[in-house]
Amino acid sequence: MLLLYAVRLVRTGIERAFGASFQRIMTRNSNVMGASATGLVLAIILQSSAAVGLLVAGFAGTAALGFGQGLAMTLGADLGSALLIQILSFPLDWLVPLLLAIGGASFIHSSSRNVKQAGRIILGIAFILISLRFLRETMDPIRDSHFLPAIAGYLAQDYVTAFIVGATLALVMHSSLAVVLMCVTLVSLSAVPVEAGVSLVLGANLGSSVIPVWLSRGMSPRSRRVPMANLVIRGSWAVLAVILVNNFPVLAVLSSGQAGQTVVNVHIAFNLAQLAVLPFCRFMEAPMLRLLPDKIDPEAVTPVLHRSVLDDQAPVTPSLALASLKREALRMTQILEGMMLPVMDIYGNYDADRVVHIANEDDALNGALDSIRHYVAAIPSDTLRKKENKQARELTEYAIALKSAGDIIVKTMLPLAEEKNKDRISFSVAGQAELVSMHERVLANLKLASNVLVSDDLASARLLLEEKAEMTRMERSSRKKHLRRLSEGTAKSFESSDIHLETTRALKEFNSHVSAVAYPILYRDGQLLETRLIEKMDRDK
C-alpha cells in the first residue's frame, strides 16, 4: 500500500504542477517517432503508462491528437514505464534521507505552489524507495517458510497461471509499475524463481494495457480506439512472449548475473520490441474504426451540449430540482471549456470561422442561463426549505458568473485576437510563453471547478481558491516581466504591449468567475475570512 500511495503521490504532484501543459506537449509532434519519444518521457515523469494512455484517449476524443500519433505515444509510454523500472531497481537507499529532508522541507515550509508540488514529488520518490526496502525486509523470513517455495515452484511450472496472476495484480492495483517492482524484488531475494517472475511481469504488461480500456469505457468511440489498439498489440505480444520465454532458451540471451536484473531485461526487451509496429500505427485505425464505429443519430440536429438537461415540467421535488440545476450548470462549464480551448490558437492563427463558432457557443451559454432563471422561478417557494432556497440561489449566481466568463472570451479576447491579426502584431517569445502558460492554467482550473461543482468537496474548493491566488500571481509576474522587456527596448513588446496586458487581465478575470463555485462551500464550512483588512489601525503612526 505504501508503494501504491507513493506512486500516486508522485503522479499527483506532477499533474498539479504541470498538468495544464500536457496537451501542448502531447500534440506538438506530428510524426510517430517524435510522438513515441514524448510518450516515453511522459511515462517516466508520471510513473505510469496507463496515465499517459488515458491522457491520449482524452485528447484523441477531442480530435486534438490523431490516431497514429496517439498510438505511437502510447507504445512509447510502455517503454518509458519499463525504463523507469530499471532506474528504481538500482540500489538507491542512500538517497532516502536526503530526499525526505528536501521534499519535506519544500512541501511544508514553502508558500510557492510549484515548490510545494516539487516537494510532494520528491517525497513520493523517497516513499517508493522506502516501500521497496520494507518489501525486501518483509520477505526475508517468509522466504524460508514452507508455504512460499511451494507457491513459487507451482508458478514456475505453470506459466499460464503465473501470467494470469500478474495480469490480475496489475488490474487490481491499477499500477503495473508497482507489480513489476514487487516481482523484481521477490526474484532478487530468490523468493520467486526467475521463470515465474518473468511470467508474472509479462502478465502485468497485459493487465496494464487493459487498465486504460476499462477506465475509458464511458468515453466516445473515438477516444476508446487508441487504448483498444494498444491492448490488441500489447496483449497479443504478451501472450506470444510468455510462450516463447517458457518454451525456448530466450532467458539465456537476456540473462545477467543477477536474477532481478534478468526480469528487468525481459521487461525492457518486451516493450522495446513493440516499437517495431510504429511505422504501421496509422494502418490500425481502419480495423479499430470497424470495431468501435462512431455513433451517429441522424435525427440529432442540435449538438448534445446545446440541449438543456432541465425538465420541461415545473419542478416539484426540491432535491431533484437542485440536481437538475447542478447538471445544467455543469453543461455550461463544458460549453465554456469548448469556447476557451481554441483561444490561444486563434491568437496565433486568426480564423474567422472559428470566431463565429465560438460566438454561437456563447448564444448557447446565454440560453442555458435563461433556462436556469426560468426554472428557479418556476420552483414553488413553499416547497423549498431555507437551505435549499440558498443552494438554488448559489447555483443561479454561479451560472451568471459562467455567463460573464463567456462574455470575456467573446467581447474581450476574440476582439484582441482580431486586432492582433489585423495589425500584424507578434508577441515576443517570452510573452507568448507567459500567455500560453496562463491559458493552460485556466483550462485546468475550469476542469477543477467542474469537479467542485459536482462533488461539493471542501479540499477541492480550497485548492481551486489557491489556484485563483496563483493565477493572480502569474498575471502580476507577467505584467512585471512585460514592463521589464519594455524598459529594455524589446521591439515586439512595444508593439504588443496593450494586447498582452489586456489578455493577461482577461485570463485572470475569467479564472475569477470560474472559481466562484468554491466560495459557498468554503463559507458553509467556515473556511473564509470576513475581510482581509486589519481590524484596528493605529492612526497615530
Side-chain angles (χ1 to χ4, degrees):
M1 291 307 299
L2 179 60
L3 180 59
L4 284 173
Y5 171 74
V7 171
R8 181 176 178 84
L9 193 67
V10 174
R11 190 186 311 160
T12 302
I14 292 171
E15 287 174 347
R16 288 184 179 178
F18 310 109
S21 304
F22 283 160
Q23 180 171 357
R24 175 166 50 88
I25 295 170
M26 295 176 72
T27 57
R28 65 185 177 188
N29 289 306
S30 57
N31 63 82
V32 292
M33 294 303 295
S36 177
T38 300
L40 186 151
V41 173
L42 283 176
I44 293 176
I45 293 173
L46 290 175
Q47 302 206 343
S48 172
S49 58
V52 177
L54 275 179
L55 286 172
V56 168
F59 294 141
T62 61
L65 201 61
F67 176 88
Q69 183 185 1
L71 182 55
M73 195 172 296
T74 305
L75 294 173
D78 295 337
L79 178 59
S81 180
L83 294 176
L84 182 62
I85 298 291
Q86 177 66 81
I87 296 170
L88 294 176
S89 63
F90 290 134
L92 300 174
D93 287 351
W94 59 273
L95 268 177
V96 170
L98 183 63
L99 294 175
L100 287 174
I102 296 175
S106 301
F107 185 75
I108 295 173
H109 297 296
S110 176
S111 58
S112 170
R113 179 182 181 277
N114 286 342
V115 175
K116 285 181 74 71
Q117 297 309 322
R120 182 192 297 270
I121 295 165
I122 295 170
L123 280 175
I125 295 172
F127 291 157
I128 289 175
L129 299 176
I130 291 172
S131 63
L132 292 175
R133 188 175 69 189
F134 282 172
L135 189 60
R136 288 193 295 269
E137 293 173 353
T138 305
M139 291 309 299
D140 279 336
I142 300 177
R143 180 179 51 185
D144 299 327
S145 68
H146 297 291
F147 175 74
L148 185 61
I151 296 296
Y154 175 76
L155 293 178
Q157 293 175 1
D158 187 353
Y159 64 85
V160 175
T161 301
F163 183 77
I164 295 172
V165 169
T168 304
L169 283 173
L171 282 172
V172 171
M173 298 174 73
H174 267 52
S175 173
S176 63
L177 175 70
V179 175
V180 176
L181 281 173
M182 184 175 66
C183 291
V184 170
T185 302
L186 294 176
V187 172
S188 300
L189 294 171
S190 300
V192 172
V194 176
E195 294 79 6
V198 167
S199 299
L200 286 167
V201 166
L202 291 174
N205 278 276
L206 171 63
S208 177
S209 63
V210 176
I211 294 171
V213 175
W214 172 254
L215 294 179
S216 64
R217 65 191 183 281
M219 296 183 180
S220 66
R222 181 195 289 267
S223 299
R224 294 162 56 202
R225 286 173 199 147
V226 173
M228 184 61 72
N230 182 58
L231 173 60
V232 170
I233 294 171
R234 200 176 188 193
S236 58
W237 176 222
V239 173
L240 179 61
V242 75
I243 295 172
L244 289 175
V245 167
N246 287 278
N247 292 281
F248 297 93
V250 178
L251 285 181
V253 179
L254 299 172
S255 179
S256 67
Q258 298 178 344
Q261 184 60 46
T262 300
V263 176
V264 175
N265 292 345
V266 172
H267 185 49
I268 293 175
F270 169 85
N271 287 282
L272 184 62
Q274 284 187 147
L275 299 186
V277 304
L278 282 180
F280 311 102
C281 282
R282 60 189 182 92
F283 297 110
M284 288 285 294
E285 185 172 12
M288 289 299 108
L289 185 59
R290 285 194 293 271
L291 181 64
L292 296 168
D294 291 318
K295 296 178 181 179
I296 302 175
D297 183 3
E299 298 180 358
V301 178
T302 306
V304 174
L305 274 182
H306 289 191
R307 302 177 196 168
S308 175
V309 298
L310 298 174
D311 297 329
D312 295 332
Q313 299 178 352
V316 178
T317 308
S319 59
L320 295 179
L322 292 174
S324 294
L325 284 172
K326 187 172 287 190
R327 288 178 60 205
E328 187 72 353
L330 182 62
R331 184 174 73 90
M332 291 182 70
T333 65
Q334 292 175 306
I335 295 174
L336 195 61
E337 182 180 4
M339 293 170 63
M340 175 55 83
L341 189 61
V343 164
M344 290 313 299
D345 290 338
I346 294 174
Y347 266 73
N349 298 294
Y350 188 80
D351 186 339
D353 293 335
R354 298 181 81 180
V355 171
V356 171
H357 174 73
I358 293 176
N360 292 334
E361 293 292 293
D362 189 53
D363 292 338
L365 211 59
N366 293 338
L369 176 58
D370 289 340
S371 298
I372 287 177
R373 284 170 172 162
H374 288 101
Y375 189 81
V376 172
I379 301 176
S381 57
D382 56 344
T383 64
L384 290 177
R385 292 176 295 181
K386 183 178 180 181
K387 179 181 178 182
E388 293 166 341
N389 186 56
K390 185 177 181 181
Q391 288 177 340
R393 186 174 66 251
E394 289 169 352
L395 287 169
T396 305
E397 290 173 351
Y398 187 55
I400 294 172
L402 293 175
K403 174 61 185 71
S404 300
D407 287 341
I408 290 174
I409 296 175
V410 175
K411 297 179 181 180
T412 302
M413 300 189 74
L414 294 183
L416 287 173
E418 183 179 10
E419 179 185 346
K420 177 178 177 293
N421 175 69
K422 181 180 178 181
D423 296 339
R424 298 183 178 181
I425 296 172
S426 298
F427 291 124
S428 64
V429 174
Q432 175 74 17
E434 291 163 11
L435 292 177
V436 168
S437 179
M438 289 186 69
H439 178 252
E440 291 172 345
R441 200 59 160 269
V442 162
L443 289 173
N445 291 344
L446 186 54
K447 286 186 172 64
L448 179 58
S450 299
N451 294 337
V452 172
L453 177 63
V454 173
S455 66
D456 285 337
D457 179 57
L458 179 61
S460 299
R462 286 185 63 90
L463 179 60
L464 183 59
L465 221 57
E466 289 173 7
E467 286 288 340
K468 180 184 176 183
E470 179 68 16
M471 181 59 66
T472 301
R473 187 200 63 77
M474 290 179 71
E475 188 265 344
R476 188 185 304 116
S477 174
S478 178
R479 184 172 67 247
K480 288 180 179 178
K481 290 177 181 177
H482 179 75
L483 295 176
R484 190 180 303 120
R485 288 191 293 270
L486 288 178
S487 65
E488 294 171 354
T490 305
K492 286 187 176 181
S493 295
F494 276 108
E495 297 173 357
S496 62
S497 182
D498 290 341
I499 296 178
H500 180 98
L501 294 175
E502 289 184 41
T503 301
T504 56
R505 190 181 304 113
L507 287 169
K508 186 189 76 169
E509 291 176 2
F510 179 95
N511 190 80
S512 297
H513 287 305
V514 167
S515 303
V517 69
Y519 285 102
I521 300 171
L522 296 173
Y523 182 79
R524 284 197 297 268
D525 286 271
Q527 299 288 313
L528 285 179
L529 297 175
E530 290 294 334
T531 177
R532 286 199 236 172
L533 292 174
I534 299 174
E535 292 185 2
K536 295 181 179 179
M537 184 173 64
D538 189 350
R539 298 185 180 277
D540 295 333
K541 290 185 178 180

